[in-house]
Amino acid sequence: MNWSGLENLLSGVNKYSTAFGRIWLSMVFVFRVLVFVVAAQRVWGDESKDFVCNTRQPGCTNVCYDHIFPISHIRLWALQLIFVTCPSLMVMAHVKLREGKDAKYVALHQGSHLYANPGKKRGGLWWTYLLSLVFKAGFDTSFLYILYRIYHGYDLPKLSKCSIEPCPNTVDCFISRPTEKKIFMLFMVISSALCILMCICEMIYLIGKRISKLLRIRHENERLLFAEQHELTNMAPPRSQYRKTDPTLAGSQLSLTKREKIRENSATTTL
Amino acid sequence: MSWPALYAQLVGANRHSTSLGKIWLSVLFIFRVMVLVVAAESVWGDEQSDFTCNTLQPGCENVCYDQFFPVSHIRLWCLQLVFVSTPTLLVAMYVAYRNHSDKKRLLQSSGRSGFLSSKGQEEELETLKKRRLPIAGALWWTYACSLVFRLLFEGGFMYALYVVYDGFQMPRLVQCDQWPCPNLVDCFISRPTEKTIFTVFMATASSICMVLNMAELAYLVAKAVTRSLCGQKERKSSRERMQNKTNQKLLVST
């Protein structure tokens, strides 16, 4: 199985992630995909062949195996890894879209860019990134819940009893390598939980950063408004005579912000 | 089955698709090819060895297995994915043909005009290779045909799977009385629940791909209609302008 293909695809996403996102990606690839490929698949390799029931009734073993393992852990984890890594592709697609739009703008407007940095998380891309985090956490949580429900709480008993047709009576069935399977299951569950935690931390960090930025801007505007209304001179002299502009904004996005407008007004007020 | 080779072929043709086409390709490779390779092949791996019948009659199991599994799900899905990816190659072939004829025309015209700079010619050839053709004219028809074929193949294979296996569910027990089985024999399929889950998953992914294809077809048709309407309006307005000019000339002359 070509997990390296997926890895290549996702290493591109690393550029546009926050620090938490990079840690998340490394965790997923080192602790989950690598362990899954190297170890877990070997442990579950003989799950069907070495599943024995204390009966000679043909078909009883098949039926009991199907009842105890509706879906194998390995398949569930493979699906979980595929679903969990997909939302990052949404972010990549959005950045590619922005780059495409930027290229078209450059071609039409001779050199000036629409986006100074298409990968910077502003506006629509911020929302796409947040949505991808929500999806990642959501998929991980739902798969953990499905595993919990199917296997009655991350448990792998050494012995299970089964009395489904055509088993003639209640038959003892034995799983192969239950302890090793339990250890790997706990490992995968804990790493999933840590990944969910990382996603939540990243969401809090993103939202917190946004809120603090908005609060700072509002506070600044209020101060300047107060200064203007009470005909005070600038309370703190500007550090530079040049107009401070956001270097990440492109020419087309530069417009006088409220703060600059107020400053210009107060500068021209005659006392 | 060399899926990376198929991927390489399709990604090349992908440059000329719409955004829906690009999404279709990702859904195809991530949710269908990858799931098929990672999961489905291991689930169906022991389908024949773990197919047990309640009989000791030699040959009965073989015959019953053959009766209930004329063609395995895995093979059907592989074939479906191959057939569904093939129409995109039509588009790739057309693009290659266009590039080839444009290159020939370019070389001929540069030869005729005596344009000696080889560097400029190389640059032009490079842009020819790297450009993205707009979906109009013959390319539009090729692309629309490829979408129609994709839809037909997807629908056809889903229907075939439904008919051969009587629905998307895998039963636990099947009864069989083909010769040489001595009587009505109970046969048990291995991992029916897991197989049902994967069959439903693949059927869902197929339907999502079909919906994407239909949306893309609708988008292409809408784009063509608006383009022709705009074209008609422009032609009408230019005709009107010409008429106005001649009217003015007539007035002036009288």
Side-chain angles (χ1 to χ4, degrees), chain A residues 63-80:
Chain A
V63 160
C64 287
Y65 179 83
D66 185 61
H67 176 73
I68 294 169
F69 294 101
I71 178 167
S72 168
H73 294 79
I74 292 285
R75 256 72 70 183
L76 209 57
W77 287 327
L79 282 175
Q80 182 176 7

Side-chain angles (χ1 to χ4, degrees), chain A residues 49-243:
Chain A
K49 278 187 256 104
D50 280 351
F51 178 81
V52 253
C53 288
N54 189 5
T55 180
R56 289 183 65 164
Q57 168 64 41
C60 179
T61 315
N62 283 21
V63 160
C64 287
Y65 179 83
D66 185 61
H67 176 73
I68 294 169
F69 294 101
I71 178 167
S72 168
H73 294 79
I74 292 285
R75 256 72 70 183
L76 209 57
W77 287 327
L79 282 175
Q80 182 176 7
L81 287 169
I82 291 173
F83 273 89
V84 147
T85 42
C86 283
S88 312
L89 298 176
M90 263 171 40
V91 174
M92 269 184 76
H94 194 152
V95 172
K96 282 225 159 67
L97 192 76
R98 273 193 174 187
E99 283 173 356
K101 273 207 274 189
D102 195 42
K104 278 196 196 143
Y105 189 89
V106 164
L108 285 172
H109 294 246
Q110 283 109 20
S112 71
H113 283 264
L114 184 60
Y115 298 106
N117 181 4
K120 186 93 182 150
K121 285 185 282 295
R122 279 170 189 273
L125 189 62
W126 187 88
W127 285 104
T128 309
Y129 195 78
L130 192 68
L131 206 67
S132 78
L133 288 175
V134 168
F135 276 134
K136 276 192 234 178
F139 284 140
D140 252 332
T141 316
S142 32
F143 271 96
L144 277 184
Y145 178 69
I146 290 171
L147 192 69
Y148 186 85
R149 281 299 298 264
I150 292 179
Y151 291 101
H152 312 292
Y154 309 133
D155 190 30
L156 261 168
K158 284 191 179 124
L159 158 75
S160 354
K161 291 189 193 282
C162 158
S163 56
I164 307 170
E165 270 280 320
C167 303
N169 49 6
T170 302
V171 158
D172 290 339
C173 291
F174 303 89
I175 301 172
S176 80
R177 313 190 209 220
T179 314
E180 203 170 356
K181 286 183 176 160
K182 205 163 182 180
I183 290 172
F184 273 102
M185 175 144 71
L186 285 174
F187 184 88
M188 295 295 269
V189 165
I190 290 173
S191 47
S192 297
L194 284 173
C195 284
I196 294 172
L197 197 70
M198 294 249 71
C199 279
I200 293 175
C201 286
E202 203 176 352
M203 277 192 265
I204 292 173
Y205 168 74
L206 270 183
I207 294 173
K209 209 166 138 188
R210 229 327 156 76
I211 289 177
S212 72
K213 189 167 130 187
L214 287 170
L215 282 176
R216 199 172 9 107
I217 290 175
R218 195 195 284 183
H219 187 66
E220 267 295 310
N221 286 339
E222 273 174 11
R223 259 184 76 216
L224 290 166
L225 208 64
F226 180 83
E228 194 232 83
Q229 278 171 359
H230 295 252
E231 293 186 350
L232 301 166
T233 52
N234 284 342
M235 291 218 253
R239 294 219 193 109
S240 134
Q241 300 212 323
Y242 300 102
R243 196 171 78 176

Side-chain angles (χ1 to χ4, degrees), chain B residues 32 76 79-88 90 145-160 206 210 213:
Chain B
R32 292 172 73 182
L76 263 180
L79 281 174
Q80 182 177 11
L81 288 170
V82 167
F83 272 85
V84 150
S85 321
T86 323
T88 317
L90 261 180
C145 275
S146 78
L147 285 176
V148 168
F149 276 122
R150 264 190 234 168
L151 277 169
L152 286 172
F153 287 141
E154 291 266 27
F157 273 95
M158 286 246 279
Y159 179 69
S206 258
M210 279 178 80
N213 282 332

Side-chain angles (χ1 to χ4, degrees), chain A residues 27-28 30-36 80-81 140 191-192 195:
Chain A
M27 270 196 74
V28 166
V30 172
F31 289 106
R32 292 169 73 181
V33 176
L34 201 65
V35 167
F36 173 79
Q80 182 176 7
L81 287 169
D140 252 332
S191 47
S192 297
C195 284

